[in-house]
Amino acid sequence: DGGITQSPKYLFRKEGQNVTLSCEQNLNHDAMYWYRQDPGQGLRLIYYSQIVNDFQKGDIAEGYSVSREKKESFPLTVTSAQKNPTAFYLCASKGGSVTGELFFGEGSRLTVL
Amino acid sequence: GENVEQHPSTLSVQEGDSAVIKCTYSDSASNYFPWYKQELGKRPQLIIDIRSNVGEKKDQRIAVTLNKTAKHFSLHITETQPEDSAVYFCAASSSGNNNDMRFGAGTRLTVKP
């Protein structure tokens, strides 16, 4: 069953702790993305990666870090430097067309206590 | 960079009525305009998209229109059904990659039976 899997679905974190959200895809897509979704603000791009071992900052990268060691995996770390980390995080991937459909995971809801 | 505005933020219609959601964009270089539907607790999914070389595209009860001169595009849903209830996001990007894709803030559509 092809698709994108995010885990965990729900995560609670104490202030000052780093947390890593997992994103795995078996669609053989080169490009992967992390978005943050807040009520009334749509989807904002955190980081993206066009190819293995390469990634770029999006609009709101501060306080986040990523890695892309494998084509299938694009984990996102929410660091303690992120001032307002409570949000819904969506991972997505895209196939080889220049522009085209984004395939999203089911999301991870992070709550900072 | 690109800025996408979406209206209305909430929309309530009676089953069988039509629903229209409007978006404007700022970057005249944008030429790809997808619409995503996100049902409660689920991942966003592409429902229709349009490229700048056409002015209208239809897929059963869903249609999208594009006015490049005015930099706005709209989603039209006819004969609405309760299962159309969801949050709808518009987006805009230019050719080359999706890294410049920007999303609207979303419209929560409620279809009352």
Side-chain angles (χ1 to χ4, degrees):
Chain A
D1 186 22
I4 299 186
T5 302
Q6 288 185 240
S7 63
K9 195 166 184 177
Y10 299 96
L11 187 60
F12 296 88
R13 187 194 91 177
K14 292 182 180 178
E15 280 192 23
Q17 290 182 334
N18 293 353
V19 62
T20 297
L21 308 180
S22 170
C23 179
E24 303 277 333
Q25 55 101 358
N26 60 6
L27 299 168
N28 200 34
H29 286 170
D30 286 315
M32 296 187 74
Y33 308 80
W34 274 105
Y35 290 92
R36 172 177 170 142
Q37 185 175 18
D38 295 286
Q41 293 196 52
L43 305 177
R44 293 183 290 167
L45 184 63
I46 304 173
Y47 266 98
Y48 63 94
S49 169
Q50 297 280 59
I51 198 167
V52 175
N53 292 323
D54 185 60
F55 50 83
Q56 304 296 330
K57 293 181 179 180
D59 294 332
I60 55 167
E62 186 176 349
Y64 300 97
S65 66
V66 294
S67 63
R68 188 83 187 279
E69 297 176 3
K70 298 186 300 181
K71 187 176 186 177
E72 302 80 15
S73 178
F74 191 40
L76 173 74
T77 297
V78 185
T79 75
S80 56
Q82 168 50 232
K83 293 186 177 9
N84 185 21
T86 295
F88 189 61
Y89 292 90
L90 282 163
C91 179
S93 71
K94 188 177 76 72
S97 62
V98 170
T99 56
E101 182 175 1
L102 287 172
F103 291 84
F104 286 90
E106 292 197 333
S108 294
R109 184 167 298 280
L110 172 63
T111 302
V112 174
L113 304 173
Chain B
E2 177 64 273
N3 181 48
V4 178
E5 296 196 356
Q6 183 172 347
H7 300 280
S9 57
T10 60
L11 179 60
S12 182
V13 300
Q14 209 65 37
E15 182 177 0
D17 289 349
S18 295
V20 180
I21 302 170
K22 299 181 179 181
C23 289
T24 60
Y25 62 98
S26 61
D27 188 352
S28 57
S30 291
N31 58 10
Y32 175 63
F33 308 92
W35 286 88
Y36 285 83
K37 175 184 180 182
Q38 186 178 26
E39 296 178 42
L40 189 63
K42 297 193 176 180
R43 70 189 79 195
Q45 290 189 299
L46 181 72
I47 55 171
I48 195 167
D49 57 13
I50 191 168
R51 299 180 190 274
S52 60
N53 56 343
V54 297
E56 183 176 0
K57 184 177 178 180
K58 287 188 72 173
D59 183 3
Q60 299 181 6
R61 297 184 298 107
I62 293 173
V64 58
T65 58
L66 171 65
N67 183 329
K68 282 221 78 179
T69 303
K71 296 202 194 73
H72 66 71
F73 56 112
S74 300
L75 178 71
H76 304 253
I77 306 174
T78 59
E79 300 172 23
T80 54
Q81 302 167 3
E83 51 264 39
D84 293 329
S85 296
V87 177
Y88 292 81
F89 293 98
C90 63
S93 77
S94 61
S95 295
N97 53 59
N98 269 20
N99 308 324
D100 63 348
M101 179 173 287
R102 295 297 179 268
F103 286 83
T107 296
R108 181 174 297 280
L109 173 64
T110 303
V111 180
K112 298 178 181 177

